[in-house]
Amino acid sequence: MTSTNDVLLLDRIRETTHQKLDKTRYDTTLVRNTTNCYSYAMGSTVSCLNLYRVGAISGRKPLEEPYFSTGEIIKLLYEDFREIDLTIERSSEEEVISENQYKIALFVKVYADNKIHDFHFTRFEDGRWSEKFRWQLPRDIGTSLKNEYNYWPWRLVGIFKVTR
């Protein structure tokens, strides 16, 4: 990302991600249709769906290129969050977080061919997990991830603490 428009877009994303999540920002059709679980994990409501793929914000992963491993996705996740000035580190569901932090959980869909076919993020803030699918409003999951996406072909690959 090097053009002036790209820099301005990243500045707008930084601005939204450094605020406390306001789910009412997803009420508009435009925001609902141009964001996904990854933008929700960041807290961004900037309308630019092609950037909300792990590795796109940092410019490290072309949209058409498949992911090769969960390790690659995690590395790209760190690089994307660093690009928007958010600190990210490994965590657990039980870890207590401070006021300027939240947690995200990363799931990947892996089939018998061992290729990664999709990813999904959930977000933990104010004592609750929630998620957002494209074209939908965010939905509450509850206080635990124990029954969410822990079935084949989905696999939890990490919980991360994010500091604004």
Side-chain angles (χ1 to χ4, degrees):
M1 299 190 67
T2 58
S3 74
T4 302
N5 285 341
D6 291 341
V7 170
L8 292 173
L9 194 57
L10 278 178
D11 286 344
R12 288 180 50 219
I13 291 172
R14 265 187 216 98
E15 184 181 307
T16 60
T17 59
H18 286 264
Q19 301 172 25
K20 190 158 178 64
L21 182 66
D22 178 3
K23 292 180 187 175
T24 63
R25 295 187 319 208
Y26 293 89
D27 288 347
T28 69
T29 303
L30 176 64
V31 171
R32 222 175 20 252
N33 289 347
T34 57
T35 57
N36 62 10
C37 65
Y38 192 40
S39 61
Y40 185 73
M42 290 177 203
S44 177
T45 53
V46 174
S47 298
C48 191
L49 197 54
N50 65 332
L51 282 180
Y52 300 132
R53 180 177 188 269
V54 182
I57 286 178
S58 61
R60 305 264 195 260
K61 191 70 169 178
L63 291 175
E64 65 281 354
E65 189 177 288
Y67 297 107
F68 301 106
S69 68
T70 56
E72 176 195 32
I73 291 178
I74 291 169
K75 180 180 176 195
L76 292 168
L77 174 67
Y78 276 83
E79 291 176 10
D80 282 355
F81 274 61
R82 185 175 24 256
E83 189 71 31
I84 56 174
D85 301 323
L86 293 173
T87 302
I88 185 170
E89 55 191 299
R90 286 281 190 170
S91 185
S92 67
E93 198 167 352
E94 299 77 25
E95 183 178 1
V96 176
I97 55 175
S98 65
E99 183 70 25
N100 67 330
Q101 297 175 320
Y102 62 93
K103 290 189 248 183
I104 59 174
L106 168 60
F107 299 86
V108 295
K109 187 184 283 187
V110 181
Y111 289 116
D113 63 3
N114 283 325
K115 291 183 180 171
I116 296 168
H117 292 270
D118 203 1
F119 61 81
H120 185 63
F121 287 92
T122 60
R123 181 176 173 128
F124 181 83
E125 196 163 18
D126 298 327
R128 312 271 315 162
W129 286 97
S130 60
E131 66 186 348
K132 186 212 179 293
F133 292 100
R134 189 165 173 209
W135 302 302
Q136 296 179 10
L137 288 168
R139 81 173 185 100
D140 184 76
I141 294 174
T143 58
S144 174
L145 289 175
K146 302 260 185 274
N147 296 319
E148 295 297 319
Y149 304 103
N150 289 325
Y151 53 86
W152 186 86
W154 288 103
R155 185 173 36 173
L156 176 64
V157 296
I159 295 176
F160 305 89
K161 177 175 56 176
V162 179
T163 305
R164 293 181 198 88

